[in-house]
Amino acid sequence: MKVLDINDFKAGWFIGNFEPTILKTSDFEIALKIHKRDEKIQPHRHNHTVEYNLLTDGKMEVNGSQIEEGNIFIFEKSEICNVKILSEVTKVVCIKVPSNPKDKEIV
């Protein structure tokens, strides 16, 4: 068994076509994103990937809708992601398909 620390990876991304990673693959990316209330997340989009998200802790507003623990929200290709963190700490499991680390456009 291996035990690793999420803090050893870049911005919570631990599987995908980048370094460091625990599994190098171009098929998908996985991250545990941890956001704080005062964090500013720039509106952005991914033109070549679909992003699947599961909110596991906290509350946030995404594209005008309130998202709560247990909610799954999906961004299709080119859909703008506009997020406001509503709780002290928010945790999101994020999966992007395929893995394309350069596919982020600030809008």
Side-chain angles (χ1 to χ4, degrees):
M1 176 175 83
K2 275 187 177 177
V3 177
L4 304 166
D5 189 325
I6 193 69
N7 295 309
D8 292 337
F9 299 91
K10 185 176 178 184
W13 293 99
F14 62 95
I15 293 179
N17 195 20
F18 45 76
E19 293 293 337
T21 185
I22 62 173
L23 173 64
K24 189 159 185 108
T25 178
S26 59
D27 294 334
F28 58 92
E29 300 175 0
I30 301 177
L32 173 61
K33 303 298 290 179
I34 301 173
H35 301 290
K36 297 184 179 174
R37 184 189 305 267
D38 58 353
E39 182 179 349
K40 302 297 180 209
I41 301 170
Q42 293 180 297
H44 64 280
R45 69 175 152 225
H46 304 284
N47 294 310
H48 305 285
T49 59
V50 176
E51 184 176 293
Y52 303 89
N53 299 277
L54 168 62
L55 183 62
T56 62
D57 189 28
K59 291 183 182 178
M60 55 197 310
E61 183 179 297
V62 180
N63 293 356
S65 296
Q66 185 160 322
I67 306 296
E68 300 179 351
E69 289 177 32
N71 289 162
I72 296 170
F73 54 104
I74 301 166
F75 295 106
E76 299 295 339
K77 292 177 185 175
S78 302
E79 186 175 0
I80 293 175
C81 168
N82 193 0
V83 174
K84 180 178 180 184
I85 306 303
L86 301 177
S87 54
E88 288 302 315
V89 175
T90 299
K91 295 179 182 177
V92 180
V93 174
C94 179
I95 301 168
K96 289 190 343 189
V97 178
S99 178
N100 186 343
K102 295 181 180 180
D103 181 31
K104 184 174 185 176
E105 177 185 357
I106 303 301
V107 295

